[in-house]
């Protein structure tokens, strides 16, 4: 079941692509945890460790790391048709 997935979005408040990712997840009824890396240094480091880069958004969908707003990768990771 889709809702059993763990989805984390590393984002910043003023990043347009971050909002696109979160809106897309909401549209597809995917529960996710939103982490603001502009205020949380530890989580920012975690994001860089996972993705190898500083850019947001980074989505961790069940351990699959998706950088930016990549609909195809999100669909695949979340098993959404």
């Amino acid at each position: 079941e889709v809702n059993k997935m763990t989805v984390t979005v590393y984002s910043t408040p003023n990043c347009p692509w971050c909002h696109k990712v979160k809106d897309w997840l909401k549209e597809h009824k995917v529960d996710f945890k939103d982490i603001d890396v502009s205020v949380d240094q530890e989580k920012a480091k975690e994001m860089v460790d996972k993705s190898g880069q500083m850019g947001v958004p980074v989505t961790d969908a069940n351990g699959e790391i998706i950088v930016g707003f990549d609909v195809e990768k999100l669909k695949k990771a979340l098993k959404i048709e």
Side-chain angles (χ1 to χ4, degrees):
E1 185 168 302
V2 171
N3 299 339
K4 295 287 169 269
M5 295 204 162
T6 322
V7 180
T8 305
V9 179
Y10 298 90
S11 65
T12 59
N14 52 3
C15 144
W17 293 107
C18 299
H19 292 291
K20 285 193 195 324
V21 167
K22 291 184 273 189
D23 289 344
W24 188 90
L25 289 168
K26 284 174 197 155
E27 268 169 46
H28 291 84
K29 311 261 187 293
V30 177
D31 285 330
F32 63 93
K33 196 163 96 185
D34 184 19
I35 295 175
D36 181 353
V37 293
S38 70
V39 294
D40 191 332
Q41 283 306 303
E42 208 168 290
K43 291 296 185 187
K45 184 185 176 315
E46 181 182 290
M47 176 190 85
V48 174
D49 288 344
K50 285 182 181 183
S51 69
Q53 53 113 37
M54 281 298 304
V56 284
V58 171
T59 306
D60 180 342
N62 270 357
E64 188 156 333
I65 305 302
I66 298 145
V67 176
F69 179 45
D70 188 326
V71 173
E72 289 313 307
K73 282 188 180 166
L74 285 165
K75 281 182 177 171
K76 210 170 137 222
L78 300 166
K79 299 178 177 44
I80 292 169
E81 289 305 308

